[in-house]
Amino acid sequence: MTCNVLLSSAGRRVALMESFRAALARTGLGGKIVATDASRASAAFHAADVGVVVPRCTTGKFIPAMLEVCAAYDISLVVPTIDTELSVLAAHRAAFAAIGVTVAVSDPETVAIGADKVLTHAWLVEHGLPTVRQADPEVVRRASDAWAYPLVVKPIRGSASIGVVVVDDALSLDVATRAGDCIVQTVAPGEEYTVDVFVDALGRVREAVPRRRLEVRGGEVSKGMTERIDDVESLARELGGLLPGAFGALNVQLFRDPTSGSLAVIEVNARFGGGYPLAEAAGAIFPQWLVEHASGVPLSPVSAAWRAGVVMLRYDDAVFVDASGAGL
Ligand SMILES: Nc1ncnc2c1ncn2[C@@H]1O[C@H](COP(=O)(O)OP(=O)(O)O)[C@@H](O)[C@H]1O
Ligand SMILES: [Mg+2]
């Protein structure tokens, strides 16, 4: 039995790709890694066994092209990596299933909750999960007494920290919200954690690995450390179990105030987080569970012993190719 894996919008996700490669070897399933991207000028495209250019996920040609790649390379598992492709892949899971392909994505409802920060907040509040206060900029302007600065402004459908700003007064709030489609939040106190959560096909949370953000570069964690911190872990587990039709790797961002112990979830991403390689280095095996699931074999047991105190120090690496190879 082989399990060919397609990493979608592969971009710079070479480390995640290597985790899938290692999982295929470890399980003895074997199989190739195919990377798709909108351009050949991507590192993971060249690190894969096969790279295929497909139309952007925002076009109607994306799904037919992906189905074609799956058929051509006998793919068993598709792994999405970027926010913008989640909803379209979630909506078309049945078409992939019809040709024997598992897409490692949650139900459209959970993808929608993660993609839209108004929906995220409403969902968190509805389920009694701790979060920050949040409102539409207009509401904040009208009830200025109820909102103490500094405040955080961010786009409703943002990602990679693009457009996230801290504002110190009403004037800055006006400037920051001028473009529209954004929300205002109170600043969450304390330290920021990202939790990699794995949910199985029956909606049961198998593992949650908290890692503390030590340093961020370009919206992505560049230094982090796994930490065994029970309240953070159990909150992420509860959240993963409540998300409707969640499946596979999720990424929950929250703050924890070390003095009061208060927690505040600020974001849910229904996909592998950019910093997942740290959880893997600490003993998590999410890619292995996905290839096992896609191959119809029982999932390997949970490693209760993922290691706390594992530090990730990221650095730049590069793939060198001919200009023609990069499509330039
Ligand atoms: N309410 C908040 N309080 C403190 N920091 C925040 C808050 N909201 C966002 N941030 C900071 O901004 C980063 C990006 O915000 P996030 O909600 O994750 O949006 P994105 O979808 O762009 O990743 C977070 O990782 C965090 O460091
Ligand atoms: Mg985020």
Side-chain angles (χ1 to χ4, degrees), residues 149-174:
Y149 290 90
L151 293 167
V152 177
V153 175
K154 47 187 173 179
I156 292 173
R157 304 184 70 86
S159 65
S161 297
I162 296 164
V164 179
V165 281
V166 177
V167 293
D168 290 315
D169 50 51
L171 187 63
S172 316
L173 177 73
D174 287 345

Side-chain angles (χ1 to χ4, degrees), residues 59-148:
T59 70
K61 295 180 187 152
F62 175 68
I63 293 293
M66 289 289 283
L67 288 166
E68 224 169 87
V69 175
C70 286
Y73 294 95
D74 193 21
I75 298 294
S76 300
L77 174 69
V78 170
V79 181
T81 63
I82 60 170
D83 291 326
T84 42
E85 67 186 344
L86 296 178
S87 62
V88 62
L89 284 168
H92 290 89
R93 280 176 308 176
F96 288 89
I99 57 166
V101 180
T102 299
V103 183
V105 73
S106 298
D107 280 2
E109 198 180 344
T110 276
V111 169
I113 290 167
D116 179 312
K117 288 180 170 66
V118 173
L119 293 183
T120 310
H121 191 259
W123 183 84
L124 290 168
V125 170
E126 181 190 337
H127 290 85
L129 298 167
T131 181
V132 288
R133 283 176 65 213
Q134 175 173 319
D136 184 82
E138 204 40 52
V139 172
V140 176
R141 266 191 281 275
R142 270 189 268 122
S144 54
D145 289 353
W147 294 83

Side-chain angles (χ1 to χ4, degrees), residues 164-231:
V164 179
V165 281
V166 177
V167 293
D168 290 315
D169 50 51
L171 187 63
S172 316
L173 177 73
D174 287 345
V175 173
T177 57
R178 199 166 287 156
D181 287 342
C182 51
I183 49 102
V184 181
Q185 292 186 339
T186 52
V187 176
E191 321 239 47
E192 183 167 4
Y193 289 85
T194 304
V195 193
D196 295 304
V197 180
F198 189 92
V199 184
D200 74 12
L202 297 175
R204 296 173 305 204
V205 175
R206 275 176 86 77
E207 194 162 48
V209 183
R211 42 187 171 84
R212 183 152 57 88
R213 281 197 178 207
L214 303 176
E215 196 179 283
V216 175
R217 202 177 67 161
E220 197 172 271
V221 59
S222 64
K223 295 181 187 172
M225 178 170 78
T226 54
E227 239 178 75
R228 199 167 289 283
I229 185 149
D230 291 344
D231 51 0

Side-chain angles (χ1 to χ4, degrees), residues 254-280:
L254 55 90
F255 279 76
R256 180 177 186 276
D257 187 346
T259 25
S260 69
S262 75
L263 301 166
V265 176
I266 58 150
E267 206 196 9
V268 176
N269 294 305
R271 55 165 172 79
F272 275 99
Y276 172 76
L278 170 53
E280 177 97 4

